[in-house]
Amino acid sequence: MSVGLNIPVVPTPTLAIAGSADRFPVRRIYCVGRNYVDHIREMKEGDERDPPFFFQKPSDAVVPDGATIPYPPDTADFQFEIELVVAIGAGGRNIPLAQALDHVFGYTVGIDLTRRDQQRDMREKMLPWERGKAFDASAPCGALLPAAQVGHPGKGAITLDVNGAEKQRGDLSQMIWNVPEIIANLSASYTLAPGDLIMTGTPAGVGPVVPGDRILGRVEGVGALTITIGPRES
Ligand code: MN
């Protein structure tokens, strides 16, 4: 069989590590939905007491700080969601809450880019969210800060500006599931492994961008991430 001989092996996507020449290989990108009450309210997503849940983006959706991201096809409502990103350094199943932070390699700032019109359409049809969430370049992430250097941020401002105007502001302490709870819950359903990223949900203020917009996301104690929206892809 010669099938595949002309198909190059896909390189593993990686993230920069602040202050290091090493890179962090990305295995999977998990995302938490509904993790800040004020965002659940703005999305009008049913019962506020419903727990957070998980979805995924493809690992090759990561793009680095400073990137220009084309305005994607298949949407007229391309939106930002600022999020704290957790990088897993040690895997496991059924990880106990008390040990969850021992599995964290580090943290960074990420933006869960969303085709909001597709997400809403899929939600109304009770279909999967992939078209709304899991598209090319939908997971910009900054350089990772090792927890060994910065600790584990449990509070601090999480903000996003578009063209210098603040659009989102929340605090990490507002997360419905904190980082240990996210790791414990996620590892009850999936075997976590080194290289997994977890985008931990967004506070209120999400909104649309257009080509030419410059987005600055910041998480206090973790860092900043800047991306620019490029021309519309057809
Ligand atoms: Mn999100």
Side-chain angles (χ1 to χ4, degrees), residues 31-34 39 55 57 81-83 111-114 116 129 133 199-202:
C31 304
V32 184
R34 303 172 50 95
H39 176 60
F55 60 92
K57 291 174 182 275
E81 297 186 357
I82 181 69
E83 313 211 355
I111 303 175
D112 169 12
L113 290 171
T114 301
R116 189 73 69 201
W129 275 18
K133 289 289 194 180
M199 304 185 90
T200 59
T202 199

Side-chain angles (χ1 to χ4, degrees), residues 18 21 25 55 58 62 67 77 86 113 116-117 128 138 142 169 173 182 201 228:
F55 60 92
V62 291
D77 192 9
V86 179
L113 290 171
R116 189 73 69 201
D117 43 2
S138 59
R169 173 170 288 272
S173 62
I182 290 169
T228 302

Side-chain angles (χ1 to χ4, degrees), residues 209-228:
V209 288
V210 295
D213 280 350
R214 191 170 169 82
I215 304 175
L216 168 63
R218 274 186 287 216
V219 177
E220 190 178 347
V222 174
L225 167 67
T226 302
I227 58 169
T228 302

